[in-house]
Amino acid sequence: MTTAPRDAALEARLKERLRGCCFGGSIHAFATCDSTMERAHALAGAGAGEGTLVFAARQTQGRGRLGRTWESPEGGAYFSLVLTPARAIAEIPQLSLIAGLAAAEALKELTGLSPAIRWPNDLLLNGRKVAGLLVEAKNSAVVLGVGINVTTNQNDLPDTATSLAACGAACDPYRLVAALCSKLDRWYDIWIAQGFAPIRAALRPWLSHMGGIVRVRAGSEQLEGTAHDVDERGRLLIRLDSGLLRPIDMGDVILLR
Ligand code: BTN
């Protein structure tokens, strides 16, 4: 793990924006770090409390789901939150959709753009990925990671990705983190108190690919069908040619038509 020092100016900027939000009671910000996920897990292991926020203006080893790399050049908002949710372990993956909902609302509020949520963890603008969510559980702490391409130049991103600036909607990354945390604060409390049902209802208008023919890769399995809905447990429901509704726990979804 690299040991870049914390950046007090970044921490002060975030603290100012996050005033009144339950998350971010403790803030660790870095101009550069390996991965905010690593830092957050280390802090959680050392006893950091719920809502501890780790932010980086740039990451050298940003990671995504399934061992993928998350390109993290300057110009993005990269952060992780330590969470200790009082929900069953099987429900923890729902956090990715909860954070997706919060992120979609925050982006809409700050930029006027309406991103689509691609199950289970992507936010899309113009069909390209603008943000990704990552949930990792280790030793009873859960770390939620959020990466948003804010002012990143399109040339510094893969073809499948975009940034807010490339979509003509750059905004202050610190305000974005604060808006997202504030939306998440609300949905997280609702989830803890009432479970996934209210989230599922709020999520529906934001979901992409619904009614479309999709290919889903889940481990070694690949299947095609019509994306139907997200079920009461946060699983993707695919209608197969046979008419059967098949719930998917995890995987990647590609829209075919
Ligand atoms: C994905 O789309 O697969 C998830 C991407 C998650 C990226 C964020 S950036 C902040 C945090 N630190 C990381 O190394 N990853 C997450």
Side-chain angles (χ1 to χ4, degrees):
M1 188 188 288
T2 57
T3 50
R6 288 166 64 177
D7 186 315
L10 286 185
E11 288 177 0
R13 210 178 292 175
L14 278 166
K15 193 169 173 197
E16 162 76 26
R17 305 285 198 290
L18 278 156
R19 206 177 291 151
C21 184
C22 290
F23 295 135
S26 169
I27 298 173
H28 296 242
F30 302 89
T32 300
C33 84
D34 45 3
S35 160
T36 58
M37 299 304 282
E38 285 305 317
R39 299 303 178 107
H41 279 299
L43 286 165
E50 170 136 293
T52 297
L53 184 141
V54 183
F55 174 92
R58 177 176 163 266
Q59 298 180 116
T60 55
Q61 292 169 53
R63 63 173 183 253
R65 274 191 329 134
L66 310 170
R68 292 178 189 134
T69 298
W70 176 262
E71 298 298 339
S72 312
E74 193 114 18
Y78 314 112
F79 70 97
S80 298
L81 280 171
V82 175
L83 300 172
T84 52
R87 299 293 314 181
I89 190 81
E91 296 173 287
I92 298 305
Q94 294 169 0
L95 264 172
S96 169
L97 291 168
I98 296 167
L101 174 59
E105 288 182 341
L107 283 177
K108 169 103 191 190
E109 184 174 288
L110 292 193
T111 68
L113 298 178
S114 279
I117 300 175
R118 178 171 61 192
W119 182 95
N121 74 319
D122 298 337
L123 254 64
L124 307 179
L125 280 175
N126 303 328
R128 290 175 166 187
K129 182 159 169 169
V130 69
L133 296 316
L134 180 64
V135 177
E136 294 178 344
K138 218 189 256 181
N139 305 331
S140 87
V142 174
V143 173
L144 166 69
V146 182
I148 307 171
N149 304 322
V150 184
T151 60
T152 320
N153 197 304
Q154 187 66 56
N155 296 335
D156 294 328
L157 292 165
D159 281 351
T160 49
T162 191
S163 71
L164 293 177
C167 296
C171 67
D172 173 3
Y174 306 97
R175 275 187 68 206
L176 186 53
V177 173
L180 198 158
C181 285
S182 145
K183 305 284 183 197
L184 184 63
D185 207 350
R186 172 169 174 265
W187 287 117
Y188 184 75
D189 283 352
I190 290 173
W191 178 59
I192 296 296
Q194 301 173 43
F196 191 66
I199 316 288
R200 183 187 183 207
L203 197 63
R204 281 209 177 99
W206 299 94
L207 286 172
S208 72
H209 300 359
M210 292 300 135
I213 310 292
V214 294
R215 178 177 297 145
V216 183
R217 283 204 197 96
S220 57
E221 197 188 11
Q222 180 165 297
L223 53 89
E224 287 182 19
T226 306
H228 178 72
D229 199 0
V230 166
D231 76 2
E232 68 290 345
R233 286 160 58 179
R235 300 174 303 181
L236 179 66
L237 291 174
I238 300 289
R239 187 167 306 278
L240 304 176
D241 281 349
S242 63
L244 206 74
L245 269 185
R246 171 81 189 271
I248 311 285
D249 287 300
M250 61 180 272
D252 284 323
V253 182
I254 300 167
L255 181 65
L256 297 179
R257 56 192 181 273

